[in-house]
Amino acid sequence: QLQLVESGGGLVEAGGSLRLTCAASGDPFYDYHIGWFRQAPGKEREGIACISRYGGVTDYAASVEGRATVSKDNNKDTTTLQMVNLKAEDTAVYYCAASSRVVCPLTSGAMDYWGKGTLVTVSA
């Protein structure tokens, strides 16, 4: 099993940036592909960024393309999501999740383990 804990959320001004970190423990982190998801109030969970187990493949949802960067450090058992030029519509709970089955997963059904999420609020 894999345990995931997100950190780095908080209140950010529009136009600002954020850096979210997800720390893993348990199973070997290098065995897992990582997805970052978010869920805004009243909306469905959305996959926004993913990275393959060794970092060779990344992908981004259109909503964050050009503003987000995902990385994975298998030595430190962490994955990071950086976003710039934040907008009010980026307000959401952000989750990291891991999949042993799907390379660069952006769908909830592909994930095996989830963190509990961290809230990001972007003030207009």
Side-chain angles (χ1 to χ4, degrees), residues 73-91:
D73 189 332
N74 288 329
N75 292 318
K76 296 182 178 179
D77 292 348
T78 59
T79 175
T80 299
L81 176 70
Q82 299 189 80
M83 288 183 61
V84 299
N85 191 22
L86 289 168
K87 308 172 184 180
E89 52 263 41
D90 293 318
T91 294

Side-chain angles (χ1 to χ4, degrees), residues 29-43:
F29 191 52
Y30 54 75
D31 278 345
Y32 291 90
H33 311 286
I34 297 299
W36 281 90
F37 295 77
R38 68 184 181 186
Q39 188 164 20
K43 295 188 177 181

Side-chain angles (χ1 to χ4, degrees), residues 27-33 53-54 72 74 99-101:
D27 282 351
F29 191 52
Y30 54 75
D31 278 345
Y32 291 90
H33 311 286
R53 64 182 69 187
Y54 296 118
K72 188 175 189 274
N74 288 329
S99 174
S100 61
R101 299 167 284 135

Side-chain angles (χ1 to χ4, degrees), residues 2-9 18-25 29 32-37 49 51 69-82 94-99 111 113-118:
L2 194 70
Q3 291 77 45
L4 301 169
V5 179
E6 303 91 340
S7 61
L18 66 78
R19 176 185 173 94
L20 303 179
T21 299
C22 177
S25 60
F29 191 52
Y32 291 90
H33 311 286
I34 297 299
W36 281 90
F37 295 77
I51 186 166
T69 303
V70 61
S71 61
K72 188 175 189 274
D73 189 332
N74 288 329
N75 292 318
K76 296 182 178 179
D77 292 348
T78 59
T79 175
T80 299
L81 176 70
Q82 299 189 80
Y94 284 72
Y95 302 88
C96 68
S99 174
M111 315 314 294
Y113 300 104
W114 290 85
K116 293 184 177 180
T118 185

